[in-house]
């Protein structure tokens, strides 16, 4: 199949483009959010082609495209503006929703729920967790769930550093949703490393926390994904402090590396982290206490980490993920053939 999608979520797209298809990815000068093109910090296969809007129009006119994978509400407008094609009418389309609803938890209407091509069943909305599907109000739109798939990075865990690692993008701006206050609470008790975009803004919040968190500027990192795994593997444990989020791929990737997990028992964490793989608790003091125990007992931490890796490989298989997406997209193309749009 030939699939058009925007490069929106780097880790998710890295998994998706491992399939046996051809992928067209828009690119714009300066590589802004609507035209990032191919990843520059991760090795994508040669089956991913980046095209500017003019090249994209030419490709759709001459080669065609089997399906469009939409991930943001305005992408259907970009498709029509750049190519003249209408998602769900001129070309089969699927809308992938990466996130849990950000407004009232059980009453947020999905932005595409009332859009004609979605509401009349032409464009299904695909969620990445069953929790997200439960919480979004998608009206009469067709919905499906395809859970994440994680490329196996190998069992790289060493746990050599007596520190807890966390990956949180923009931890200051996303304060409560990202659980940044929980992260700081744990960092008062045990040494912590924080990875992600915008982590430098945490320095002023970490420095007053005392000797455990002192010198935190040396433990704040914004690394490309290709370097991140190597760093994470050396930490003793992984902290997932999020209060409200979709299931973070960074969490699954850390588990695949072999790290034991500390997390809040919210959203989809209950499904991703079974008891043998880590500890879920709504009490930050308990998370800090377990972190201290693991820092003092590397063998126990490694045992939890081994179970975490086994769980991810069994439940978030890349092959299963790719097969499910191929099946869904093939069904949408077949459905297009059966209906006169």
């Amino acid at each position: 199949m030939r699939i058009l999608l925007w490069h929106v979520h780097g880790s998710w797209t890295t998994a998706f483009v491992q399939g046996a298809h051809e992928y067209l990815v828009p690119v714009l000068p300066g590589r802004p959010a609507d035209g990032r093109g191919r990843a520059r910090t991760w090795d994508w296969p040669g089956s991913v082609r980046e095209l500017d809007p003019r090249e994209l129009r030419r490709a759709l006119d001459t080669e065609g495209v089997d399906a469009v994978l939409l991930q943001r509400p305005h992408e259907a407008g970009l498709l029509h503006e750049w190519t003249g094609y209408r998602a769900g009418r001129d070309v089969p389309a699927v809308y992938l929703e990466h996130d849990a609803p950000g407004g009232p938890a059980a009453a947020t209407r999905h932005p595409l729920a009332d859009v004609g091509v979605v509401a009349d069943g032409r464009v299904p909305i695909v969620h990445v967790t069953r929790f997200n599907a439960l919480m979004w109000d998608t009206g009469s739109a067709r919905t499906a769930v395809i859970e994440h798939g994680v490329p196996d990075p190998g069992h790289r865990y060493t746990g050599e550093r007596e520190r807890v690692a966390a990956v949180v993008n923009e931890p200051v701006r996303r304060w409560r949703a990202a659980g940044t206050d929980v992260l700081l609470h744990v960092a008062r008790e045990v040494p912590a490393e924080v990875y992600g975009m915008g982590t430098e803004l945490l320095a002023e919040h970490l420095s007053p926390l005392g000797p455990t968190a002192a010198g935190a500027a040396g433990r704040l990192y914004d690394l490309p994904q290709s370097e991140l795994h190597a760093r994470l593997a050396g930490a003793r444990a992984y902290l997932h402090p999020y209060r409200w989020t979709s299931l973070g791929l960074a969490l699954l990737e850390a588990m695949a590396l072999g790290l034991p997990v500390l997390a809040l028992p919210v959203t989809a964490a209950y499904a991703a982290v079974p008891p043998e793989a880590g500890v879920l608790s709504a009490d930050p003091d308990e998370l800090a206490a377990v972190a201290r125990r693991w820092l003092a007992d590397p063998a126990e931490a490694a045992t939890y980490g081994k179970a975490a890796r086994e769980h991810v490989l069994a439940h978030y298989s890349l092959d299963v993920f790719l097969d499910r997406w191929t099946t869904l997209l093939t069904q949408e193309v077949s459905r297009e053939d059966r209906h006169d749009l």
Side-chain angles (χ1 to χ4, degrees):
M1 300 179 71
R2 183 175 296 111
I3 303 165
L4 167 63
L5 74 156
W6 275 260
H7 174 186
V8 174
H9 188 302
S11 293
W12 185 91
T13 311
T14 296
F16 184 72
V17 299
Q18 304 303 314
H21 305 294
E22 182 180 0
Y23 307 90
L24 307 182
V25 180
V27 64
L28 294 170
R31 298 180 182 271
D34 286 338
R36 290 193 175 112
R38 289 175 54 92
R40 291 175 291 171
T41 59
W42 197 252
D43 186 21
W44 284 2
S47 55
V48 182
R49 294 167 51 195
E50 57 179 27
L51 304 173
D52 65 29
R54 182 177 298 181
E55 293 169 330
L56 187 61
R57 172 61 188 261
R58 187 181 307 117
L60 265 65
D61 286 344
T62 60
E63 304 171 32
V65 66
D66 294 302
V68 178
L69 179 61
L70 305 170
Q71 300 169 77
R72 297 169 297 172
H74 71 282
E75 289 177 356
L78 290 177
L79 175 70
H80 188 256
E81 176 187 348
W82 293 352
T83 71
Y85 287 79
R86 297 168 299 170
R89 296 190 184 276
D90 303 319
V91 60
V94 168
Y95 187 94
L96 170 63
E97 176 55 65
H98 287 281
D99 297 320
T108 300
R109 189 78 166 176
H110 194 277
L112 266 70
D114 302 308
V115 175
V117 294
V118 178
D120 69 8
R122 295 175 189 264
V123 178
I125 297 174
V126 183
H127 298 281
V128 297
T129 71
R130 297 193 180 281
F131 179 87
N132 291 0
L134 175 71
M135 300 307 288
W136 275 110
D137 174 5
T138 52
S140 60
R142 289 185 296 136
T143 61
V145 176
I146 299 181
E147 295 182 327
H148 291 307
V150 180
D152 183 5
H155 188 275
R156 301 168 66 179
Y157 177 73
T158 64
E160 62 200 49
R161 297 193 304 279
E162 295 183 6
R163 293 179 180 177
V164 171
V167 177
V168 183
N169 285 326
E170 300 187 78
V172 173
R173 181 182 68 81
R174 303 167 65 205
W175 194 271
R176 281 188 62 79
T180 302
D181 57 316
V182 176
L183 169 60
L184 295 179
H185 184 94
V186 174
R188 291 188 184 98
E189 304 296 327
V190 297
E193 303 173 348
V194 187
Y195 300 83
M197 296 180 292
T199 50
E200 70 280 357
L201 300 177
L202 262 186
E204 62 181 282
H205 299 279
L206 281 163
S207 57
L209 297 184
T212 300
R219 296 198 295 274
L220 299 173
Y221 308 90
D222 183 0
L223 300 176
Q225 189 182 37
S226 55
E227 298 178 26
L228 178 60
H229 289 170
R231 286 291 304 174
L232 286 178
R236 184 66 51 83
Y238 186 81
L239 173 65
H240 186 66
Y242 289 83
R243 273 189 182 84
W244 187 256
T245 182
S246 185
L247 179 58
L249 270 167
L251 168 64
L252 299 181
E253 290 168 354
M255 293 172 69
L257 290 167
L259 276 83
V261 173
L262 301 166
L264 303 180
V266 295
T267 63
Y270 73 93
V273 186
E276 63 272 17
V279 173
L280 300 182
S281 176
D283 183 355
D285 286 332
E286 181 179 0
L287 296 178
V290 175
R292 284 195 300 271
R293 192 176 81 221
W294 285 350
L295 264 57
D297 190 345
E300 181 185 348
T303 298
Y304 275 93
K306 181 175 182 292
R309 172 173 164 77
E310 291 172 352
H311 180 76
V312 165
L313 295 183
H315 292 85
Y316 300 94
S317 159
L318 180 63
D319 289 341
V320 171
F321 167 80
L322 295 173
D323 286 346
R324 288 176 176 169
W325 269 107
T326 295
T327 297
L328 183 139
L329 292 171
T330 300
Q331 289 172 346
E332 290 307 303
V333 173
S334 299
R335 185 174 183 274
E336 175 90 351
D337 293 338
R338 293 197 303 269
H339 293 270
D340 181 12
L341 301 182

